[in-house]
Amino acid sequence: MKTYEVTVERDGRWWMVAVPELDGLTQARRLDEVEQMAREYIAVTTDVPLSRVAVEVSGIAADGQDLLEAKTLVDGLRRRAKDLEAMIAELTREVASSLTDASVPVRDVSNVLGISHQRVSQLVQAAAQSDGDSTKVIRQSRQEFAHDLVIQLADGRAVRLVEVSGPKKNRQSKEPVQQGSGPSVRKAPHPRPAKRPASRSASQKQSV
């Protein structure tokens, strides 16, 4: 069986199907008809049985846009979304289990994870039946979102699809602590010296 490369381009109400190797052109009403129409054209042109013809669509264009590239991108993002959903489910389960093991109330776990307390109980039960490691799951999740997902378009524009950043840690300046045998004591600010009253002039002294 021989495989022929074909390209497809929208022209009015038709999809024009080109077979570069045969310098041929056929058409189809819908994209799902392209492969069959191309195979039939090739079989008739080369005088071989239809069963011995295969085609590979290398490009689909419409209004100057590469639809095959867009389809590949969308399919990839959908697979990515499924992977992320699985990771979210695993992370949520392990965090819920670790928090309840630390005696955190179910209502508070529900508030942290944004799920119902009934769902928390279900996740805890599921985690008890698995060999999950919450520390490992959290570490993998952080590594997964180490970078934002950015798509570079053909015209040079960049589209940011995902932006994940960790919580900002509060940085508090530490005041110097006095060393001693007892508990640590913060140094009090040095008091400002009191201003001395201005000396009286000679004329004031004589009038007294």
Side-chain angles (χ1 to χ4, degrees):
M1 180 181 294
K2 183 175 181 180
T3 302
Y4 292 82
E5 180 179 320
V6 301
T7 59
V8 185
E9 185 172 0
R10 188 69 176 175
D11 185 6
R13 299 177 61 184
W14 293 88
W15 292 102
M16 306 308 296
V17 184
V19 187
E21 185 173 342
L22 302 178
D23 195 21
L25 188 68
T26 185
Q27 58 188 18
R29 280 286 190 184
R30 298 188 305 272
L31 283 175
D32 57 6
E33 298 176 349
V34 166
E35 182 176 344
Q36 182 65 21
M37 297 300 294
R39 292 179 64 235
E40 291 178 357
Y41 173 83
I42 295 170
V44 172
T45 303
T46 59
D47 194 22
V48 298
L50 187 63
S51 60
R52 296 180 57 186
V53 177
V55 298
E56 180 181 353
V57 179
S58 61
I60 304 175
D63 193 26
Q65 300 182 23
D66 189 343
L67 302 187
L68 188 59
E69 181 182 0
K71 180 181 183 302
T72 302
L73 176 61
V74 170
D75 291 343
L77 290 176
R78 283 176 177 164
R79 290 192 298 269
R80 178 67 170 156
K82 290 182 180 179
D83 294 340
L84 292 178
E85 288 176 358
M87 179 177 293
I88 291 171
E90 183 180 4
L91 177 61
T92 303
R93 182 179 65 249
E94 297 302 333
V95 171
S97 176
S98 63
L99 290 179
T100 53
D101 288 345
S103 300
V104 177
V106 173
R107 295 280 182 177
D108 292 340
V109 177
S110 171
N111 186 28
V112 170
L113 297 178
I115 56 178
S116 66
H117 63 278
Q118 295 90 344
R119 182 57 179 160
V120 171
S121 300
Q122 295 174 356
L123 292 176
V124 171
Q125 294 177 1
Q129 301 173 359
S130 66
D131 298 329
D133 183 353
S134 60
T135 304
K136 180 179 179 181
V137 174
I138 293 175
R139 183 171 60 252
Q140 290 177 346
S141 302
R142 287 174 177 171
Q143 293 175 352
E144 191 71 21
F145 292 113
H147 303 285
D148 298 336
L149 177 58
V150 179
I151 296 178
Q152 190 73 30
L153 302 180
D155 57 3
R157 293 179 298 161
V159 180
R160 186 181 302 275
L161 297 183
V162 179
E163 183 176 0
V164 180
S165 58
K168 297 181 178 179
K169 296 181 179 180
N170 294 327
R171 297 181 178 179
Q172 297 179 352
S173 58
K174 296 183 178 180
E175 297 180 6
V177 178
Q178 184 177 5
Q179 299 294 333
S181 58
S184 300
V185 179
R186 298 180 185 271
K187 285 186 178 181
H190 295 288
R192 294 182 179 180
K195 292 184 178 181
R196 296 181 179 179
S199 58
R200 290 180 295 179
S201 62
S203 59
Q204 290 177 333
K205 291 180 180 180
Q206 291 178 357
S207 60
V208 176

